[in-house]
Amino acid sequence: MSLLQAIQSGKVPAHVAVIMDGNGRWAQARGLERAQGHVEGVKAVRRIAEAACKAGVRYLTLYAFSTENWDRPRGEVDALMGLLVSCLHEEMPLFMKNGIRLRIIGQVGSFSPQVRQAMDEALRQTEGNTRMDLVLALSYSARWELTEVVREAAVRAASGDLRPQDISSRTIDGLLATSFMPDPDLLVRTGGEQRVSNFLLWQIAYSEMYFTPVFWPDFTEEMFYESIASFQNRERRFGKVPEPGRPLKADKA
Ligand code: FPP
């Protein structure tokens, strides 16, 4: 039985989030420009998006560009923007063939009109697809997202639409950029670092973590399936003790 078949016979995580790290080091190790690592990174995005579809993952969220990434050298930022636009055009056949709906979370207002146009077009073209949502976190950081939630809650409270005593964890879920999907079951980070780098801080409260030293451009379908197999071998207790007849799941206050 292949690893793909083996994981399909178990509980496949509905939502996998990925911190795609190591493009720059992959390139530098080969004497190449860092931007070349991002070009290879796009190939890995294609590979892993198809792999996730095959495995039956419903939501795949990729940390493609953080709020902090704007502070990288101008040439690298420009290269990433160019790649993003070409990726949104060139990967359209892949999205349509696999039933992938594109979603974007982040401060889209920070992008140039050309990038935003490419985003809007891709979002519109894929909005009828239902097999898997590919969520790109672009100009995203969790602290930005949570600040927006607090601001929106304050505006609603000030206008009388929201009573402070009615604010619950579900209220916050509903105000997040990710409100259309469940929290990640599994968070994968490539590239060897073991940190979460301002990614989905609220949503990963009970996610299983999987860290691998492999640089993102070298991350294969098989390695992605291994991360799911590792997830399937863990017992998620959500802070509770297993009891017969009582399913273990996260509580929302
Ligand atoms: C982290 O590697 C990766 C990024 C900052 C960008 C991720 C981008 C891609 C995978 C390709 C572009 C895809 C889209 C959709 C735009 P790093 O540069 O931080 O690597 P390092 O830690 O080795 O320096």
Side-chain angles (χ1 to χ4, degrees), residues 205-206 235-242 246 248-251:
Y206 286 105
E235 182 189 47
R236 302 180 79 193
R237 291 192 294 276
F238 306 100
K240 300 169 192 179
V241 174
R246 184 165 168 252
L248 290 169
K249 56 184 172 56
D251 284 332

Side-chain angles (χ1 to χ4, degrees), residues 3-252:
L3 185 51
L4 174 59
Q5 287 167 330
I7 60 169
Q8 281 171 328
S9 66
K11 190 169 165 34
V12 174
H15 182 180
V16 181
V18 185
I19 301 179
M20 311 181 287
D21 196 18
N23 293 349
R25 281 167 289 157
W26 181 94
Q28 282 164 339
R30 288 161 179 77
L32 303 169
E33 294 287 324
R34 291 176 53 84
Q36 197 54 40
H38 299 313
V39 172
E40 289 298 314
V42 172
K43 295 182 192 165
V45 168
R46 190 180 304 146
R47 212 164 44 229
I48 301 309
E50 278 206 293
C53 267
K54 277 194 225 162
V57 169
R58 183 63 189 80
Y59 299 92
L60 177 68
T61 301
L62 303 178
Y63 203 5
F65 192 83
S66 72
T67 312
E68 292 77 22
N69 287 157
W70 289 112
D71 292 330
R72 290 194 174 197
R74 177 78 194 267
E76 188 174 338
V77 172
D78 287 349
L80 277 165
M81 293 303 121
L83 270 177
L84 175 58
V85 172
S86 63
C87 170
L88 293 173
H89 288 135
E90 286 163 23
E91 302 310 329
M92 197 46 67
L94 171 103
F95 298 153
M96 301 315 285
K97 183 183 108 192
N98 289 287
I100 294 174
R101 176 174 185 174
L102 190 75
R103 306 264 202 172
I104 293 173
I105 55 170
Q107 279 175 292
V108 282
S110 339
F111 291 96
S112 69
Q114 187 216 5
V115 174
R116 274 156 62 187
Q117 197 187 338
M119 288 175 177
D120 289 344
E121 184 69 14
L123 293 172
R124 198 187 47 74
Q125 279 182 267
T126 62
E127 71 187 352
N129 294 343
T130 55
R131 186 171 173 203
M132 184 180 84
D133 284 20
L134 175 63
V135 185
L136 297 181
L138 288 165
S139 194
Y140 173 89
S141 78
R143 287 184 176 182
W144 159 78
E145 182 186 35
L146 291 169
T147 306
E148 289 297 305
V149 167
V150 172
R151 184 173 294 134
E152 178 61 23
V155 166
R156 292 189 191 184
S159 70
D161 286 345
L162 180 64
R163 295 189 313 165
Q165 61 270 35
D166 291 339
I167 296 177
S168 66
S169 154
R170 289 193 187 282
T171 317
I172 295 169
D173 284 341
L175 293 174
L176 291 165
T178 54
S179 61
F180 59 90
M181 60 180 169
D183 291 342
D185 301 291
L186 172 65
L187 174 72
V188 175
R189 180 172 187 145
T190 63
E193 313 292 358
Q194 303 201 359
R195 52 181 175 245
V196 292
S197 299
N198 213 349
F199 189 43
L200 303 176
L201 295 182
W202 172 274
Q203 299 89 334
I204 61 171
Y206 286 105
S207 303
E208 295 295 326
M209 306 281 174
Y210 184 87
F211 298 105
T212 166
V214 175
F215 293 146
W216 176 250
D218 288 330
F219 196 57
T220 62
E221 285 194 14
E222 211 62 10
M223 292 172 187
F224 180 71
Y225 297 148
E226 277 165 21
S227 73
I228 294 182
S230 162
F231 168 86
Q232 290 178 331
N233 284 327
R234 302 180 193 184
E235 182 189 47
R236 302 180 79 193
R237 291 192 294 276
F238 306 100
K240 300 169 192 179
V241 174
E243 279 177 57
R246 184 165 168 252
L248 290 169
K249 56 184 172 56
D251 284 332
K252 291 270 167 134

